[in-house]
Amino acid sequence: MEQEGPLEPVLIQKLIEAATDQLQRAYAPYSHFQVGAALLAENGEIFTGCNIENAAYTPSNCAERTAFFKAVSNGQRSFRAICVVGGKNGVLSGFTPPCGVCRQVMMEFCDPRTFQIILAAGKNKEQSRVFLLKELLPMGFSPENLKAHRSFFD
Ligand code: THU
């Protein structure tokens, strides 16, 4: 059963803490920008992730994709929300919005009208803001687009 509507405040706080906990696991020896993510599956399970950089730079993986790939490889494909935190040397100073590639990965598994992206600039829920995927990736390309050609005006 898909759960819609705003996340309960305690759940938001739990996701912020889970994402923040991941900062220490970030492998970011090149940018020194550490990112943590906590992905909430429909069944309530939380999958965490950190960014993992590489000396060859391009193979680097963002925290959000680490969380998604962990979840999918664990059998989960339905998600409610993700929380992202990040900062230079792991110190949160502002929001860390997901990069374009990560937004596209979210588009693959999540309904852009309901999937919630929590950005937090601190450990406290009051320092966070919730966005819908459709707000951060308007008119995104999804598996739906491959099914049949649908006019923009349909
Ligand atoms: N990064 C993430 O992990 N998630 C984001 O939302 C933005 C950027 C990582 C990639 C790279 O390891 C470092 O932050 C600096 O760009």
Side-chain angles (χ1 to χ4, degrees), residues 27-28 31 33-35 50-53 60-64 84 96-99 102:
Y27 177 73
S31 72
F33 193 89
Q34 301 177 326
V35 186
C50 62
N51 55 333
I52 305 168
E53 297 185 347
S60 299
N61 204 51
C62 292
E64 297 91 317
V84 193
T96 301
C99 79
C102 288

Side-chain angles (χ1 to χ4, degrees), residues 37-111:
L39 175 63
L40 176 67
E42 286 288 358
N43 71 352
E45 229 177 310
I46 294 173
F47 294 87
T48 54
C50 62
N51 55 333
I52 305 168
E53 297 185 347
N54 190 283
Y57 289 30
T58 4
S60 299
N61 204 51
C62 292
E64 297 91 317
R65 273 176 291 146
T66 303
F68 265 92
F69 297 157
K70 278 170 71 178
V72 173
S73 65
N74 216 44
Q76 293 298 323
R77 290 187 187 171
S78 315
F79 305 103
R80 278 185 84 187
I82 191 167
C83 173
V84 193
V85 297
K88 199 88 183 165
N89 301 314
V91 180
L92 308 187
S93 52
F95 289 158
T96 301
C99 79
V101 173
C102 288
R103 292 177 201 204
Q104 187 61 38
V105 168
M106 293 172 195
M107 196 69 192
E108 185 67 26
F109 296 103
C110 310
D111 183 337

